[in-house]
């Protein structure tokens, strides 16, 4: 008997009751225990096998927007919500969605090759041979029939064209071929078009997601010879996401639409994605300069730039139909605050079967909804309204979520407490980005959710992984010593964009992944078979995502005081401001150095004289900007968030808080919107976060100032410093008024 005594005692010592150990901000002391037991009841209803079944069911057929499979899935998801006791409906929008009618790519000189433009079925992959698959194409490419010399432009980014300039290579009137990667795909044809190219081909190089990285499908998860990345090339970072014909308004049946010829987010040149099976003959035939060392890919020959004897013919035509877009919207009305909405979303449309993107995330979200449904049956109700959204049309350009936000913008600005997004999910490490006032909120959750493979918290696992992923000792030490979770800043690429960047709704984007490198993205091989074999074999990470996002939803829905901590927003904005000052100084130093080398004739003797390199012209010197308005505004904001923090704690201590105080907390982020929008892109209004004009998905923080500096537009940079300073001051004043009012 005795030997059992010690373990029993140890268990007792190591596991005191939840309420004593778990920190949970925003709840009165007396309500913490209730919330924690609610969350453990929620967790008990989550089932990994069920998540696997949902993934299988929803990825059983191709289900791109407006396809029969898409409609079937939307209706099935609707029926699930209803069955679980949610008040659910399908909200339909009508959006421009082109599909290909003609696709021809052929090399006509020096030899001929006709691209097959087809991913073959595999016997190891049950859905790979289905009918109804969208062909390989880039949505919103222009129609076109062009023939010209081919030029290899590396990843097709602005800096790649600087290198071409130096080599004396001009793409005007040519067709370019670019590698996938290093930017959002839509940037490649856009930059090509800006440089005068008449067509663009994008291919997946094996060095990026193929055999250079590991075994290819079906042996491994990496992209095989024939795999093609479909995807949208709508210019959403420069203009707006969503339906190209209805910027700023919901694409309802009778909405006023632009003529297609006037839609600014549509490209003017044809663009087509291909596999490396189709790209190799074209690339091998190129002559001209050998590429710089860093431009080489993984194919077994020397890469050349062209142009020259290699000519290609590209012919594309599309349907340009207006199609229905089915958003499934499900609600549970809040018992105390029905007009405060906690919103959770994940898209349901795919390019083909999309078991990983988006069904892995969708299945986790549905498991949350099912669990919440079971809790409803016990008589429980959330205090705030919970809204779950299965978006359609994310793949072509965040269509379903953007149209919904545009249609309901006024109501959302009033009612939306937070938007919590997810998308693809797989085995691995937590990634989290979002509004920085939510950093401590997610930190608490990440320190309570347990990683299924290692049994440590997902916070600890993420930190260890990040530390081990860097070779720089200083960075490693910094990460290893981090005590709190850091949120990444939000760019674009999933359905949170319109919430945060257009309507100022605080947002989070969550998911797991990173353990298994893969190359199935947007191909027919993103299937249940591949997902089950490589991405999350036991579907455990579906449960982990459901716990993480579900706890976030439940805490926001039930919090006595909404857990926004604006000290973190202030600190982050202060870091951004310091980064911009450093960026200016570095830009000044590097311009001075470069100009000195040019003036002293360094380029003429430093490069191979037989190659005919062109000496770049000297650049105008970089002036000094006045950052003081921004620094002063930040100083005010720092003071205001300190006072607000005191009031926040006092409310918790006294168990007293008004509805109005909570409403002011969740609406605060809207103070950071510049209603006129960013320069030349009025749809993007947030002064702290936007996707980069030339990065697409990648975020630019304090985008108005940062992009003006990067584009060397000094007057605009100075003017944007004033704009951002005003926004931060507006927020400081808002907080001062709130603190003065108290609860
Ligand atoms: Zn997705």
């Amino acid at each position: 008997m005795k030997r059992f005594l010690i373990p029993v005692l140890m268990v007792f010592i190591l596991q005191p009751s939840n309420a004593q150990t778990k920190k949970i901000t925003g709840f009165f002391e007396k309500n913490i225990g209730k919330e924690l037991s609610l969350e453990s009841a929620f967790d008990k209803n989550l089932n990994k096998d069920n998540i696997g079944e949902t993934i299988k069911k929803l990825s059983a057929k191709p289900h791109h927007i407006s396809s029969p499979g898409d409609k079937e899935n939307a209706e099935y998801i609707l029926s699930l919500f209803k069955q679980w006791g949610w008040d659910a409906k399908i909200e339909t929008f009508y959006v421009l969605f082109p599909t290909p009618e003609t696709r021809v790519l052929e090399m006509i000189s020096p030899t001929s090759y006709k691209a097959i433009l087809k991913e073959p079925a595999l016997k190891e992959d049950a859905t790979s041979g289905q009918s109804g698959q969208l062909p390989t194409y880039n949505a919103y490419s222009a129609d076109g029939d062009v023939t010209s010399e081919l030029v290899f432009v590396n990843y097709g980014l602005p800096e790649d064209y600087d290198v071409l300039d130096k080599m004396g290579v001009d793409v005007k009137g040519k067709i370019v071929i670019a590698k996938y990667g290093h930017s959002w795909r839509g940037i490649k044809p856009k930059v090509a078009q800006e440089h005068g190219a008449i067509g663009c081909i994008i291919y997946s190089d094996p060095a990026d997601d193929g055999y250079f990285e590991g075994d290819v499908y079906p042996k491994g998860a990496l992209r095989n010879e024939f795999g093609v990345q479909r995807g949208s090339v709508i210019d959403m970072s420069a203009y707006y996401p969503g339906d190209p014909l209805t910027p700023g308004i919901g694409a309802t049946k009778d909405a006023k639409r632009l003529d297609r010829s006037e839609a600014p987010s549509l490209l003017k040149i044809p663009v087509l994605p291909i596999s490396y099976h189709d790209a190799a003959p074209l690339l091998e035939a190129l002559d001209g300069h050998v590429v710089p060392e860093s431009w080489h890919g993984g194919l077994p020959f020397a890469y050349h730039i062209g142009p020259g004897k290699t000519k290609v013919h590209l012919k594309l035509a599309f349907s340009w139909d207006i199609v229905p877009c089915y958003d499934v919207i499900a609600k549970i009305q809040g018992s105390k605050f029905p007009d405060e909405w906690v919103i959770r979303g994940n898209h349901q449309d795919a390019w083909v079967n999309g078991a990983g993107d988006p069904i892995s995330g969708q299945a986790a979200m549905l498991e949350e909804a099912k669990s919440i449904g079971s809790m409803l049956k016990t008589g429980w109700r959330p205090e705030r309204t919970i809204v779950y959204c299965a978006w359609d049309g994310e793949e072509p350009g965040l269509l379903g979520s953007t149209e919904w936000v545009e249609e309901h913008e006024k109501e959302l600005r009033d009612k939306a407490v937070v938007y919590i997004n997810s998308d693809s999910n797989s085995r691995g490490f937590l990634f989290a980005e979002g509004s920085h006032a939510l950093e401590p909120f997610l930190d608490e959750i990440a320190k309570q959710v347990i990683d299924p493979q290692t049994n440590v918290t997902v916070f600890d696992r993420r930190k260890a992984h990040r530390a081990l992923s860097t070779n720089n000792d200083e960075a490693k030490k910094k990460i290893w010593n981090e005590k709190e979770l850091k949120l990444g800043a939000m760019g674009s690429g999933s359905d949170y964009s319109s919430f945060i960047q257009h309507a100022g709704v605080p947002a989070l984007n969550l998911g797991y992944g990173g353990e298994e490198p893969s190359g199935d993205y947007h191909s027919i091989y993103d299937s249940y078979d591949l997902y089950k074999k490589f991405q999350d074999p036991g579907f455990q990470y579906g449960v982990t995502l459901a716990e993480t996002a579900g706890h976030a939803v439940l805490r926001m829905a039930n919090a006595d005081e909404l857990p926004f901590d604006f000290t973190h927003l202030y600190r982050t904005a202060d870091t951004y401001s310091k980064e911009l000052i450093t960026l200016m100084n570095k830009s000044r130093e590097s311009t001075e150095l470069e100009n000195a080398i040019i003036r002293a004739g360094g380029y003429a003797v430093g490069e191979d004289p037989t190659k005919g390199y062109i000496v770049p012209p000297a650049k105008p010197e970089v002036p000094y900007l006045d950052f003081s308005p921004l620094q002063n505004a930040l100083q005010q904001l720092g003071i205001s968030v300190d006072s607000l923090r005191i009031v926040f704690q006092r409310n918790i201590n006294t168990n007293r808080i008004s509805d109005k105080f909570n409403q002011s907390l969740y609406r605060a982020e809207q103070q950071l919107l510049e209603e006129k929008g960013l320069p030349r892109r009025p749809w993007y209004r947030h002064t702290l976060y936007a996707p980069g004009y030339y990065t697409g998905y990648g975020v630019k923080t304090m985008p108005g100032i940062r992009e003006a500096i990067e584009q060397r537009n000094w007057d605009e940079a100075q003017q944007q410093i004033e704009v951002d300073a005003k926004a931060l001051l507006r927020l400081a004043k808002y907080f001062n008024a709130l603190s003065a009012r108290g609860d």
Side-chain angles (χ1 to χ4, degrees), residues 346-347 349 356-358 394-395 423-424 493-494 521-522:
N346 194 108
H347 70 101
D349 69 301
D357 181 6
E394 189 268 359
E395 293 296 0
D423 198 322
S424 310
S494 195
Y521 181 60
H522 293 183

Side-chain angles (χ1 to χ4, degrees), residues 698-718:
V699 65
K700 294 285 175 179
T701 53
M702 290 192 170
I705 309 172
R706 190 180 292 268
E707 298 217 301
I709 293 175
E710 287 173 355
Q711 302 303 315
R712 305 174 82 84
N713 187 344
W714 314 119
D715 290 346
E716 187 171 292
Q718 187 63 57

Side-chain angles (χ1 to χ4, degrees), residues 44-96:
K44 285 200 185 86
N45 294 327
L46 305 173
N47 180 317
K48 60 184 171 50
D49 298 329
N50 197 47
I51 289 177
E53 285 305 308
T54 310
I55 295 176
K56 192 172 187 181
K57 164 99 185 148
L58 292 177
S59 66
K61 290 180 191 168
H63 56 106
H64 59 271
I65 178 172
S66 80
S67 64
D70 177 57
K71 186 156 192 259
E72 217 174 277
N73 277 1
E75 282 165 359
Y76 176 67
I77 291 169
L78 175 73
S79 73
L80 289 177
F81 276 116
K82 285 186 170 167
Q83 182 192 320
W84 298 329
W86 293 65
D87 174 15
K89 62 173 182 181
I90 290 182
E91 202 169 328
T92 308
F93 293 98
Y94 298 86
V95 296
L96 181 70

Side-chain angles (χ1 to χ4, degrees), residues 512-633:
Y512 289 83
E515 207 122 53
E516 185 74 47
S518 69
D520 56 309
Y521 181 60
H522 293 183
S523 74
I524 60 169
Y525 310 119
D526 179 0
S527 63
Y528 178 76
D529 287 335
L530 184 145
Y531 191 84
K532 188 173 157 46
K533 197 163 168 198
F534 299 107
Q535 300 294 8
D536 185 13
F539 307 110
Q540 290 168 307
Y541 280 86
V543 173
T544 314
L545 173 59
E547 283 183 11
T548 313
H551 292 191
V553 166
L554 293 173
R555 285 183 191 189
M556 278 292 177
N558 294 329
D560 297 302
E561 187 167 40
L562 288 168
F564 288 96
D565 184 343
F566 294 98
T567 332
H568 285 250
L569 184 149
Y570 155 72
R571 276 191 221 142
T572 308
D574 193 52
T575 309
Y576 295 162
S577 156
K578 291 190 173 111
E579 281 171 11
L580 291 173
I581 295 168
T582 308
L583 178 68
M584 264 314 270
N585 290 339
K586 282 205 171 138
S587 165
R588 186 176 312 107
E589 282 161 22
S590 90
T591 302
E592 277 165 14
L593 177 63
E594 186 77 352
N595 285 351
I597 293 173
I598 291 167
R599 288 194 194 105
Y603 272 90
V605 297
E607 306 259 36
D608 182 348
T610 66
K611 295 253 167 82
Y613 285 125
I614 293 166
V615 177
K619 285 180 179 163
E621 302 295 339
V622 178
Y624 286 85
L625 295 180
D626 177 11
F627 282 93
S628 67
L630 197 59
Q631 291 162 315
N632 289 326

Side-chain angles (χ1 to χ4, degrees), residues 428-430 445-465 480 512 515 541 544 547-548:
F429 315 94
L430 172 69
I445 293 171
K447 286 173 181 163
Q448 291 162 8
V449 173
I450 301 298
D451 176 77
Q453 292 183 123
T454 60
N455 282 326
V456 300
T457 68
V458 297
F459 171 84
D460 283 337
R461 180 133 211 260
R462 174 187 202 246
K463 185 169 91 167
H465 177 65
W480 189 244
Y512 289 83
E515 207 122 53
Y541 280 86
T544 314
E547 283 183 11
T548 313

Side-chain angles (χ1 to χ4, degrees), residues 485-504:
L485 177 129
K486 296 251 183 303
L487 283 177
M490 291 180 132
S492 187
S494 195
D495 291 304
Y496 54 80
S497 187
S498 49
F499 285 92
I500 179 129
Q501 286 146 358
H502 191 63

